[in-house]
Amino acid sequence: MFVKDISADFVKEVFISGANNISNKKEYINELNVFPVPDGDTGTNMTLTIMSAVAEVKSLDKPTINSLAKAISGGSLRGARGNSGVILSQLLRGFCRDVKDKEEITLEVIASAFAHATETAYKAVMKPKEGTILTVARAMAEKASDLLSTEDDLVEYLEKIVEAGDEALAGTPELLPVLKEAGVVDSGGQGLMEIMRGFLMALKGEAAVLEGDAVPSSPARGAGLLEEIPTAKGSSRDDISTADIKFGYCTEFIVLLEKELSDKEIEKIKEFLLSIGDSLVCVADEEVLKIHVHTNHPGQAFEKGLEYGQLTRCKVDNMREEHNERISFAIPYEADDKSEASSEKSEEEKPQEPPKKYGFVAVSAGEGLSTIFEEIGVDYVIRGGQTMNPSTDDIISAIDKVNAENVFILPNNKNIVLAANQAAEIVDAKKVYVVTTATIPQGIAAMLEFNEALEPEENLEGMKEASLGIKTGEITFAVRDTSVEGKEIRKNNIMGISDNGIDAVGTDVEEVTKQLIDTLVDEDSGLISLYYGEDVSKEEAEAFAASLSEKYDDLDVDIRFGGQPIYYYILSVE
């Protein structure tokens, strides 16, 4: 089949085929992860990321190359999960930036876009590592450029690019010893090659289709991941009448921009929306404009958005109606004296609170851990972590909901840091600071270091320093046989994982936990903190803590309920 260039409709089919192929192969990709931990995994994260873009692509009835590029770039950017998903979104973003103004996709366009994609992805990673998805992407970009002088058929061209990618993927164990020891290739690179193979299948007229329930369940934006931590002044207070709601409709939508907006244009949009409402969040990047506003005229807000592009994810909630429903369900029988008091309060005008100086968003898993973060000042907790990495859009949604001028993000997992950084770059309505916490205890230590009297940059440095001043560990189980760092691990073995890697392996949870703690305690240690998970009873945890107090009689041992899944214990030593 000779193909010289392809139209927008065919680009759409090719892209969906690539997404379907990685979705079909996601479990295989998950199995390539070096650490045999039961987490979100590379295949799942990359699939959720690209499927977010597919949802945007499928919403286009009459696609053009430009509208497809915007949909792919914006969808993958907001839906990016985990480090592999963020890097994939940057590859797609770089590629789409190069092709968005083209009428057709030719070999020359592809070569240029491959180069731009690789450059964009490398720049997104603070310390790029060879032997990863980046190496595979670069090899394909170089091959795409080299072939321009000898190829004129798009199918043969892409076949040779895929061959170059496969060759680079096969060489990843030679670049990363940890891959060689485990006997696997890089999982992110494998995921990228499955997408490329899906593209090639469509070019050959055999587009990949989803097999069964191959697509992992991808929650709607923020659904099931964003958890509001109740505060004394929560939004569902029953002492506030609907008369106090000045603007009745919570209006949210995204504009797929026809062109990048200037700062002046964004300010003009903000001025208009504030003239018809309040509680405004207006966030823009090169591809999309995201609006949240409380107004009595949602149609006027939508009309303003239509001046700049197509609308998607439109949502309008009647806040007065929702308020009445909440009261109806929460307090069906109200005493007369309380009703009268409430009626009196409703006559008083309650002004909206101005934004506070500082706000906080933390990623956490488990009821107990969420409560701990609330107790130490976190405004919102995003449910997630190792078992489900929240997307960039989940983090943006959390930032939007914190009424503060400066918002600190605590990702509390190294696989969420890139998504947090990406969210911080997109949001411009507030100043966002990412504290690069890699574990739950690091997040707790960072929050305890916060000082209201200091400036944001000073707090950022102090919180980062505090997070690195403790040693942390996790106890979980292996999901497959492997060899890591000289340790032979069998499926269902218990593993003790520290900041440095897997430090203890065995068959008993408490024994492995003690082994891990032994590696962390030194002469300067004074406190061992344990957070027990949902699979450990309170009695078991307290008895274990007592045994640790006996063993380390010169150290304090603190035990708290974490409620986290998968991890029997999360711990720190300081």
Side-chain angles (χ1 to χ4, degrees), residues 33-36 178 181-182 481-489 495 501-503 505:
N33 279 340
V34 173
F35 274 25
V178 67
E181 182 184 11
D481 295 350
T482 190
S483 174
V484 179
E485 298 165 356
K487 296 180 177 65
E488 292 297 324
I489 300 169
M495 300 182 297
I502 299 175
D503 283 342
V505 179

Side-chain angles (χ1 to χ4, degrees), residues 87-388:
I87 294 172
L88 174 60
S89 76
Q90 291 297 323
L91 286 168
L92 293 172
R93 187 184 191 190
F95 192 97
C96 289
R97 273 185 177 178
D98 224 50
V99 304
K100 65 181 181 181
D101 297 323
K102 306 298 188 298
E103 292 295 326
E104 294 179 319
I105 305 298
T106 63
L107 272 58
E108 290 76 10
V109 169
I110 289 175
S112 175
F114 261 109
H116 196 182
T118 303
E119 179 185 353
T120 303
Y122 266 88
K123 285 181 178 178
V125 181
M126 187 171 294
K127 295 180 180 179
K129 268 187 182 178
E130 297 303 333
T132 65
I133 183 175
L134 295 172
T135 303
V136 177
R138 193 186 73 245
M140 288 192 288
E142 291 171 352
K143 192 67 172 180
S145 178
D146 293 343
L147 289 171
L148 281 179
S149 60
T150 59
E151 294 294 333
D152 59 0
D153 173 34
L154 192 54
V155 173
E156 291 184 4
Y157 181 65
L158 195 62
E159 281 180 334
K160 292 181 179 179
I161 290 172
V162 169
E163 287 175 8
D166 282 336
E167 185 177 341
L169 178 64
T172 55
E174 300 304 320
L175 297 173
L176 278 180
V178 67
L179 295 176
K180 190 170 187 176
E181 182 184 11
V184 296
V185 295
D186 178 68
S187 55
Q190 184 73 54
L192 180 60
M193 293 315 301
E194 297 304 339
I195 294 171
M196 292 296 299
R197 265 185 276 282
F199 294 165
L200 188 56
M201 290 166 68
L203 283 175
K204 291 181 174 181
E206 302 171 349
V209 295
L210 291 176
E211 299 171 357
D213 60 350
V215 184
S217 56
S218 179
R221 182 182 59 78
L225 289 173
L226 186 66
E227 175 185 5
E228 179 177 356
I229 298 299
T231 63
K233 298 181 180 179
S235 61
S236 60
R237 287 169 57 192
D238 54 40
D239 64 336
I240 297 178
S241 165
T242 57
D244 301 315
I245 301 176
K246 184 177 180 182
F247 298 103
Y249 297 96
C250 177
T251 305
E252 295 182 69
F253 58 97
I254 289 173
V255 183
L256 301 176
L257 297 172
E258 293 175 353
K259 64 180 182 65
E260 185 176 351
L261 298 178
S262 67
D263 292 341
K264 187 175 181 179
E265 287 174 314
I266 294 171
E267 286 306 314
K268 184 179 177 182
I269 294 168
K270 289 178 180 178
E271 287 176 10
F272 172 79
L273 293 172
L274 286 173
S275 74
I276 63 168
D278 62 9
S279 298
L280 174 65
V281 176
C282 183
V283 181
D285 66 4
E286 298 93 339
E287 313 290 344
V288 298
L289 172 69
K290 182 175 180 181
I291 299 294
H292 168 281
V293 65
H294 293 176
T295 179
N296 290 326
H297 304 285
Q300 292 183 21
F302 290 143
E303 286 295 331
K304 175 57 69 172
L306 284 168
E307 293 179 16
Y308 300 93
Q310 299 179 52
L311 303 189
T312 184
R313 300 196 187 183
C314 300
K315 180 173 174 282
V316 178
D317 292 324
N318 185 328
M319 295 187 292
R320 296 185 181 95
E321 184 180 70
E322 289 182 348
H323 175 85
N324 287 333
E325 287 178 356
R326 281 198 297 269
I327 302 239
S328 161
F329 283 106
I331 43 172
Y333 303 102
E334 192 68 76
D336 289 342
D337 56 342
K338 286 190 177 181
S339 296
E340 290 174 2
S342 179
S343 177
E344 291 174 1
K345 287 182 181 181
S346 70
E347 296 173 3
E348 301 174 5
E349 199 64 34
K350 297 179 178 65
Q352 184 178 349
E353 294 183 7
K356 57 185 180 178
K357 183 175 181 179
Y358 290 115
F360 303 91
V361 171
V363 180
S364 176
E367 178 187 350
L369 295 173
S370 296
T371 299
I372 291 169
F373 278 114
E374 181 226 356
E375 290 172 349
I376 57 180
V378 169
D379 298 279
Y380 274 83
V381 168
I382 303 173
R383 290 199 300 269
Q386 196 73 357
T387 54
M388 173 56 76

Side-chain angles (χ1 to χ4, degrees), residues 368 474-477 494 508-511 513 530-546 548 559-571:
E474 300 163 330
I475 308 299
T476 187
F477 60 92
I494 306 301
D508 181 81
V509 171
E510 293 188 0
E511 284 303 312
T513 306
L530 290 168
Y531 307 92
Y532 62 94
E534 64 181 11
D535 294 321
V536 179
S537 69
K538 180 181 179 181
E539 294 73 21
E540 289 172 331
E542 289 178 344
F544 180 54
L548 289 177
I559 186 78
R560 294 285 300 270
F561 171 62
Q564 69 274 3
I566 307 300
Y567 290 83
Y568 303 105
Y569 289 102
I570 293 174
L571 59 92

